[in-house]
Amino acid sequence: MKKGILLTVLMACVVTWNISAQDRPLQIIMIGAHPDDCDIKSGGTAALFVAMGHHVKFVSVTNGDAGHQTEGGGMLAKRRIAETKEVARRLGVSYDVLDNHDGELLPSLEIRLQIIRKIREWKADVVIAPRSNDYHPDHRYTGVLVQDAAFMVGVPNVAPDVEPLRKNPVFLYFQDNFKKPNPFQADIAVDITPVLDKKLAGLDAHQSQFYEWLPWIGNYENEVPKDPAKHKEYLLAKRVQAPNPEVRKTLEKWYGKSRADQAKYAEAFEICEYGTQPTEQDIRRLFPMLGK
C-alpha cells in the first residue's frame, strides 16, 4: 500500500475511533462578541476538535460594523463576515454572525433568545463564552447573555419554535487576565502546540482586525510587517501567549508533567457555575484531546 493511502486510512481510523468512543461527534459552540473573538480565545482548541472528527460552531453576537478606523457600517460588516467565511474554510468550523451592531450590545431579551436558539439548533454539548468582567461592554454583555441562556435552553415555553435541549450543556469561560471582582480560574487547559499553525491561519484571515484596526486603536501600527510573509510570525508574537504558571499547573493535571512540559502554547477554560457541572471523567470525554 502506498504511503499516502496508508496515512489516509490511518487518519480515518483515528477519527472513527474518536467518534465511536463518544457514541457520536461532540457538538461544541463557542460564542464571542465580535467576529474574531472565538478565534483569539479558542482557535487552537477548535482545530483539535475538528481534527478528531467533532463539530465546532463559532458565533459572533455582533456583526463587527464599528471595528475599524476608516471603514464602518454595512460595508465593514460584509467585509468581516467574509473574513469569518475564510476562517471557517481554514479551520473546518461553522461560523455564524448575528446582525447586532458592534459597540451597542445590551443584554436584551431579544438577543438572549437569539443565543438560546443557536445553542439549541447546534444541540450543544459544550458552550464557551467570555466572563462578564471585561474591558469591553460587548464582551461583558455577551457573557451575561450566555449566562442568562444557560438554564433557559431547556425550558420548552421559551423560544418554543426551537426544540429545547433535554440535557443542559457544560458552560465554560474563555481565559482572560482580569482580576476584579475575581480572577480567571484555569480548570481546563488544552495544549495547542500541535495546531499552532491552524490557529495562526485563522487569525490571519481577519485582515481588517489584526493588521489594520487593532494596531491603530492600540497605537502600534508601526509593528505590523509590510511583508505578508512575516504576518504569522507577527501574530505569534502579538496574539498567542505561552502558558502562565496557573495554566502550566493545569496542563500537568490533564496531561502529566512530562507531556505538559513540552507544551509551548495552550488555551484555558473555566467551568461556569451554571449548566451541567462536569466530573473529571466528563471533562475527559468532552475534551478527548486531553492527555493525548
Side-chain angles (χ1 to χ4, degrees):
M1 185 179 293
K2 292 184 179 180
K3 184 177 179 181
I5 297 174
L6 177 60
L7 181 59
T8 300
V9 172
L10 288 173
M11 287 299 293
C13 289
V14 169
V15 169
T16 302
W17 182 87
N18 279 303
I19 291 176
S20 63
Q22 305 295 332
D23 297 324
R24 60 172 177 79
L26 292 166
Q27 299 288 118
I28 313 297
I29 189 167
M30 301 173 175
I31 303 174
H34 306 109
D36 56 326
D37 288 351
C38 294
D39 316 60
I40 296 172
K41 295 294 188 178
S42 57
T45 301
L48 287 169
F49 274 121
V50 171
M52 299 182 83
H54 303 295
H55 301 159
V56 178
K57 179 184 285 292
F58 288 175
V59 175
S60 174
V61 181
T62 77
N63 61 17
D65 60 359
H68 204 275
Q69 68 273 30
T70 59
E71 303 174 19
M75 292 303 294
L76 177 59
K78 287 181 180 178
R79 183 182 179 192
R80 299 197 67 183
I81 290 169
E83 290 171 343
T84 67
K85 290 180 179 178
E86 178 60 19
V87 173
R89 187 189 71 80
R90 294 183 186 187
L91 294 186
V93 302
S94 298
Y95 214 133
D96 291 353
V97 178
L98 304 184
D99 194 21
N100 302 304
H101 289 302
D102 183 0
E104 300 179 11
L105 188 66
L106 291 173
S108 66
L109 175 58
E110 176 189 2
I111 300 175
R112 184 200 307 168
L113 291 173
Q114 292 174 7
I115 291 173
I116 289 170
R117 290 186 177 101
K118 287 295 179 184
I119 294 171
R120 286 178 177 176
E121 288 165 358
W122 197 244
K123 295 179 171 55
D125 297 297
V126 177
V127 180
I128 314 179
R131 296 197 302 158
S132 56
N133 46 319
D134 191 284
Y135 77 98
H136 198 304
D138 288 352
H139 296 175
R140 289 200 300 273
Y141 293 141
T142 295
V144 170
L145 284 159
V146 175
Q147 289 172 3
D148 288 350
F151 177 73
M152 297 299 175
V153 295
V155 179
N157 286 323
V158 174
D161 54 313
V162 183
E163 184 179 355
L165 298 183
R166 295 298 297 130
K167 179 174 174 56
N168 206 279
V170 171
F171 285 78
L172 305 173
Y173 297 126
F174 297 125
Q175 183 179 0
D176 62 59
N177 297 317
F178 300 103
K179 306 300 182 186
K180 297 178 181 179
N182 52 286
F184 172 84
Q185 178 176 302
D187 294 313
I188 302 166
V190 177
D191 176 14
I192 64 164
T193 310
V195 290
L196 179 64
D197 284 347
K198 279 279 191 180
K199 179 179 175 106
L200 294 177
L203 298 181
D204 175 70
H206 293 283
Q207 300 272 317
S208 69
Q209 301 304 291
F210 295 113
Y211 308 132
E212 299 171 24
W213 165 239
L214 293 174
W216 183 86
I217 193 69
N219 293 302
Y220 55 86
E221 291 172 280
N222 61 331
E223 296 179 20
V224 180
K226 303 297 184 195
D227 183 358
K230 297 181 179 179
H231 277 176
K232 288 186 181 179
E233 181 181 345
Y234 162 78
L235 289 172
L236 176 60
K238 203 74 181 176
R239 291 291 162 185
V240 183
Q241 297 180 344
N244 64 30
E246 182 189 4
V247 172
R248 179 72 63 187
K249 184 177 180 181
T250 304
L251 284 168
E252 291 181 11
K253 172 183 176 179
W254 295 109
Y255 290 87
K257 188 174 189 315
S258 176
R259 173 70 173 75
D261 286 345
Q262 301 173 39
K264 294 181 179 180
Y265 305 101
E267 292 169 348
F269 308 96
E270 178 179 338
I271 299 170
C272 175
E273 291 181 303
Y274 308 153
T276 292
Q277 297 302 288
T279 64
E280 181 171 327
Q281 183 179 5
D282 290 332
I283 292 171
R284 290 195 181 277
R285 178 179 61 83
L286 294 169
F287 285 79
M289 69 287 289
L290 295 177
K292 299 293 191 296

